[in-house]
Amino acid sequence: AWMWFDSAMAVLSLVEMGYDLYMMVLRSGQKSESGPAVANLRSMRVIKVVKTLRAFRLARMLRFSFLNSLQTFLLTLLTAMRHLIWSGFLLIMVIYCFSLFFVQAVAASPAVGNLTSAEAALLRQYWGQLSNAQVTLFQSVSGGLSWNDAMMPLHGIDPYLSYCLILYVVITYFCILNGVTGGFCNSAIEAALASPEIMAQTIMQRNNTYERRLHEVFAALDIDNSGIVTEAEFGEITTQPFLRAIFTAMELDSNCIWTLFKLLDRNGDGTISTEEFVQGCVSMKGSAKNLDVIHLLADVAEIKQMSQKLADLHASSIGISHATALMGS
C-alpha cells in the first residue's frame, strides 16, 4: 500500500512540475489577465494538495525515529501498569492503617484538653477525622505537606505518636516508593527486551554509533589522509596509549598489533582501507560467539573429511603403483 502511495506522490510531483511549466508558458503567451489569474488559482489549489500529501508522507517516514521514544514510554507504561496498581493498593492500605491508628490515638488521649486553642485547631485539621488523617499522610510523602508540620501536634499530646509518624515516613519512602520505582524500571527493561521493534532500533543505533567511532579511529590512524592505513601507520597504536585505550574500550584486542593488521588486511596488499577496517573490527568485536564456534567446528569437520579423502586417494594410488610394479616384473 505504501509503495502505491509513494508512486502516487511521484506522479503528483510530476504534475506539479507540469503545472509550473504550463504557467510559465501561459504568462509569456497570453496578454489578458483573467486567464492567468484563473490558472494561477487552480494551480495553487493543486500545489496545496500536493504539499499536504508530502507532509503526510514525511510524517510516515519519520514516525519510527521521531516517535520511537514515545512508543517505548507507552509500551513501558502499559507493561508496568499491573505493578503500579498493586503498589498503589499497598500504599492505600498502609495510609489507611496508619491514619486509623492516629485518629484513635488522638481521640483516646487525655492530653488533648491541655492544648491551646491554636494547637487544638491544628490537631483537628490534621488528625481530627479519618479522611483528614489520610490526606495528611498522603501529603506527607507526596510533597504537599511537610511531615514535620504534621508531627508537631502529635508530639504535643504524646511523643510516641511522632515516632510512629516517622516510622510511617520511613516505610513509605524507603520501602514502598523505592519499590515502585524499581519495579517500574524493571518493567521498562523487560518491555524493551520483549519488543522486537525496540530491540532492533536499539541494535541499529548501537551499530551506527560503533561504526562512526571506527571511522574516527581510522581517521586518527590515517596520518597522511590517503584513505588507507599502512603497516607503519598502524604501528602507531603501540606508541600511543590513547589509541590502545580506544581499542580496548571498543572490545578490540590491541596486544597483538601485527596479527590484527594481517587479519584486517583481507586482500593482502599491505594496506587497510576504510571498508576493511570497519568490517574487520565489527566482525572481531568482543569474544567468540556460539555461532562462531559452530562455524569453526564445521570447517574443521570439512577439513577432516577432505584429509581422509586425500589419504584414501593416496593409499589407492600407492596400491595401484605396487600392482603395476608387480605386473611389470
Side-chain angles (χ1 to χ4, degrees):
W2 289 115
M3 181 183 66
W4 289 107
F5 179 77
D6 293 336
S7 301
M9 288 302 305
V11 173
L12 290 175
S13 299
L14 293 176
V15 171
E16 182 183 358
M17 293 175 61
Y19 263 97
D20 292 337
L21 293 176
Y22 172 73
M23 289 304 304
M24 292 175 61
V25 174
L26 193 62
R27 290 193 187 109
S28 61
Q30 292 186 353
K31 295 181 180 180
S32 63
E33 297 181 356
S34 60
V38 174
N40 280 332
L41 182 59
R42 293 177 179 175
S43 62
M44 288 299 295
R45 291 176 180 175
V46 174
I47 291 174
K48 286 182 179 180
V49 173
V50 172
K51 289 183 177 180
T52 303
L53 293 175
R54 281 183 177 177
F56 178 73
R57 182 172 180 264
L58 180 62
R60 181 182 68 86
M61 294 174 61
L62 297 178
R63 72 184 189 275
F64 290 113
S65 58
F66 182 72
L67 299 178
N68 183 46
S69 300
L70 179 60
Q71 179 185 2
T72 304
F73 175 75
L74 292 177
L75 181 61
T76 302
L77 187 61
L78 292 176
T79 305
M81 189 62 65
R82 183 176 61 180
H83 179 79
L84 293 177
I85 291 175
W86 283 111
S87 300
F89 177 75
L90 179 61
L91 181 61
I92 291 174
M93 292 300 298
V94 171
I95 291 177
Y96 177 78
C97 293
F98 272 92
S99 61
L100 185 62
F101 168 75
F102 285 124
V103 170
Q104 290 181 352
V106 169
S109 177
V112 177
N114 300 328
L115 298 177
T116 61
S117 59
E119 293 176 347
L122 287 176
L123 188 64
R124 288 192 300 270
Q125 177 183 354
Y126 292 141
W127 310 106
Q129 296 179 358
L130 184 62
S131 59
N132 294 347
Q134 290 176 351
V135 173
T136 301
L137 292 177
F138 178 74
Q139 289 180 341
S140 299
V141 296
S142 60
L145 175 69
S146 175
W147 60 270
N148 184 56
D149 295 338
M151 183 182 66
M152 295 308 297
L154 295 177
H155 188 76
I157 60 175
D158 191 350
Y160 290 102
L161 293 178
S162 61
Y163 298 151
C164 293
L165 181 61
I166 294 175
L167 178 63
Y168 160 78
V169 173
V170 170
I171 292 175
T172 307
Y173 266 123
F174 298 103
C175 296
I176 299 178
L177 296 182
N178 285 336
V180 171
T181 303
F184 186 82
C185 293
N186 186 42
S187 300
I189 295 173
E190 291 179 355
L193 294 177
S195 176
E197 294 182 357
I198 297 177
M199 286 295 296
Q201 189 74 17
T202 304
I203 292 174
M204 290 176 60
Q205 292 177 356
R206 190 181 305 166
N207 291 338
N208 292 334
T209 303
Y210 186 77
E211 291 181 2
R212 185 177 67 252
R213 291 177 180 175
L214 287 176
H215 282 285
E216 295 175 356
V217 173
F218 184 85
L221 292 174
D222 187 13
I223 301 175
D224 55 357
N225 296 324
S226 60
I228 57 175
V229 173
T230 61
E231 189 173 354
E233 291 175 339
F234 198 79
E236 292 294 324
I237 300 177
T238 59
T239 60
Q240 296 186 17
F242 179 70
L243 290 177
R244 294 178 66 92
I246 291 178
F247 269 76
T248 304
M250 299 177 69
E251 301 182 18
L252 296 173
D253 188 8
S254 60
N255 294 324
C256 303
I257 298 299
W258 309 120
T259 303
L260 182 62
F261 180 84
K262 292 179 181 179
L263 292 175
L264 294 176
D265 185 17
R266 296 186 176 183
N267 55 6
D269 59 351
T271 59
I272 302 175
S273 62
T274 307
E275 292 76 11
E276 289 177 338
F277 182 78
V278 173
Q279 295 177 1
C281 290
V282 169
S283 61
M284 289 185 294
K285 176 185 175 182
S287 57
K289 302 178 179 62
N290 293 332
L291 184 61
D292 299 330
V293 176
I294 293 174
H295 184 70
L296 181 60
L297 292 176
D299 292 340
V300 171
E302 185 178 358
I303 293 174
K304 185 178 179 180
Q305 292 178 0
M306 293 177 62
S307 301
Q308 186 64 35
K309 291 180 180 179
L310 289 175
D312 295 340
L313 182 62
H314 181 67
S316 61
S317 63
I318 292 177
I320 292 174
S321 62
H322 280 297
T324 305
L326 291 175
M327 292 176 63
S329 61

